[in-house]
């Protein structure tokens, strides 16, 4: 006997497959939504934590900026105190500068050179005088430049030839000069003195004959 199935089995199978597909699609969408939600919440947590850290860092930065300003103010006050202290020390050490000026000037004047006037303005000293010749003026400039630590940077302002009358008829040619030189402060001179002594020791040793 031949049995014939007259039921729409293809439509039933197709509907079953469609229902399974829709169910799988819905489950996948739900799982994707859950995963996306978890990732979103995690990212939001990370962003919130980073924002909290940024706020803490900004607060610490503001504190450090305030401390830096305080330190800068303290450094300015320290620099001002040091400047005032240096000024007081310079005033104390400069009290004897006129003595050093006169004593050193007498030591460095060559024979045949006479100072007629002297003017001091701060550390700058102007000398006017008379010399027997231009060579005497050059010798004075060399002495002021090399033989003393109390004077520095001598400069010849002018030199003018002139005549001087000796006795009743005799006349002699002279050189009228003006020199500017810087007077070294006592504190600077004390620093320069050891260096000058150290430099002079090898020169003395070199000039001493062997065997003596």
């Amino acid at each position: 006997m031949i049995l014939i199935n007259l039921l729409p089995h293809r439509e039933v199978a197709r509907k079953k497959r469609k229902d399974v597909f829709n169910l799988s699609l819905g489950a996948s969408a739900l799982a994707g939504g859950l995963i996306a939600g978890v990732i979103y919440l995690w990212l939001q947590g990370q962003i919130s934590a980073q924002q909290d850290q940024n706020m803490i860092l900004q607060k610490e930065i503001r504190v450090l900026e305030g401390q830096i300003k305080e330190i800068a103010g303290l450094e300015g006050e320290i620099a001002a105190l040091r400047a005032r202290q240096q000024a007081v020390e310079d005033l104390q050490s400069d009290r004897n500068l006129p003595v050093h000026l006169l004593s050193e000037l007498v030591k460095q004047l060559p024979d045949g050179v006479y100072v007629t006037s002297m003017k001091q303005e701060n550390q700058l000293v102007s000398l006017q005088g008379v010399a027997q010749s231009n060579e005497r003026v050059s010798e004075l400039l060399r002495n002021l430049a090399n033989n003393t630590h109390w004077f520095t940077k001598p400069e010849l302002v002018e030199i003018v030839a002139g005549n001087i009358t000796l006795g009743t008829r005799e006349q002699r040619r002279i050189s009228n000069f003006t020199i500017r030189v810087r007077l070294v402060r006592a504190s600077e001179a004390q620093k320069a003195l050891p260096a000058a002594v150290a430099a002079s020791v090898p020169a003395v040793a070199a000039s001493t004959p062997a065997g003596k």
Side-chain angles (χ1 to χ4, degrees), residues 85-128:
Q85 180 182 1
Q86 186 63 43
V88 172
E89 292 177 355
D90 289 340
L91 288 174
Q92 292 178 347
S93 61
D94 289 348
R95 288 182 300 178
N96 296 325
L97 275 183
V99 178
H100 295 300
L101 170 61
L102 295 176
S103 62
E104 283 297 317
L105 187 59
V106 170
K107 292 179 183 178
Q108 304 309 325
L109 281 179
D111 294 335
V113 178
Y114 307 92
V115 175
T116 58
S117 67
M118 179 173 56
K119 180 181 178 182
Q120 180 182 359
E121 185 176 354
N122 295 326
Q123 302 305 114
L124 193 63
V125 179
S126 298
L127 302 174
Q128 291 182 345

Side-chain angles (χ1 to χ4, degrees), residues 124-139:
L124 193 63
V125 179
S126 298
L127 302 174
Q128 291 182 345
V130 178
Q132 292 179 353
S133 63
N134 293 345
E135 289 74 14
R136 300 290 187 179
V137 179
S138 300
E139 185 178 356

Side-chain angles (χ1 to χ4, degrees), residues 43-57:
L43 289 176
Q44 286 297 114
Q46 293 293 321
I47 292 172
S48 178
Q50 187 63 46
Q51 289 176 345
D52 293 339
Q53 291 180 359
N54 291 342
M55 292 179 63
I56 294 174
L57 290 175

Side-chain angles (χ1 to χ4, degrees), residues 50-190:
Q50 187 63 46
Q51 289 176 345
D52 293 339
Q53 291 180 359
N54 291 342
M55 292 179 63
I56 294 174
L57 290 175
Q58 290 176 357
K59 183 178 179 180
E60 294 295 329
I61 289 172
R62 287 192 294 269
V63 173
L64 290 176
E65 287 177 347
Q67 293 176 352
I68 290 172
K69 290 180 180 178
E70 292 179 358
I71 293 173
L74 291 175
E75 289 179 348
E77 293 179 1
I78 292 173
L81 289 174
R82 287 178 177 174
R84 287 196 292 269
Q85 180 182 1
Q86 186 63 43
V88 172
E89 292 177 355
D90 289 340
L91 288 174
Q92 292 178 347
S93 61
D94 289 348
R95 288 182 300 178
N96 296 325
L97 275 183
V99 178
H100 295 300
L101 170 61
L102 295 176
S103 62
E104 283 297 317
L105 187 59
V106 170
K107 292 179 183 178
Q108 304 309 325
L109 281 179
D111 294 335
V113 178
Y114 307 92
V115 175
T116 58
S117 67
M118 179 173 56
K119 180 181 178 182
Q120 180 182 359
E121 185 176 354
N122 295 326
Q123 302 305 114
L124 193 63
V125 179
S126 298
L127 302 174
Q128 291 182 345
V130 178
Q132 292 179 353
S133 63
N134 293 345
E135 289 74 14
R136 300 290 187 179
V137 179
S138 300
E139 185 178 356
L140 174 60
L141 289 172
R142 287 194 299 270
N143 291 345
L144 294 177
N146 303 322
N147 295 344
T148 176
H149 55 274
W150 288 103
F151 294 108
T152 184
K153 298 179 180 179
E155 177 188 0
L156 179 62
V157 178
E158 67 175 356
I159 183 168
V160 179
N163 295 317
I164 187 173
T165 302
L166 299 176
T168 55
R169 297 182 179 180
E170 183 182 1
Q171 288 190 345
R172 182 173 296 179
R173 293 184 63 83
I174 59 172
S175 298
N176 298 301
F177 64 87
T178 301
I179 291 176
R180 278 199 299 260
V181 65
R182 181 180 177 271
L183 182 61
V184 178
R185 290 185 180 275
S187 57
E188 298 175 0
Q190 291 174 358

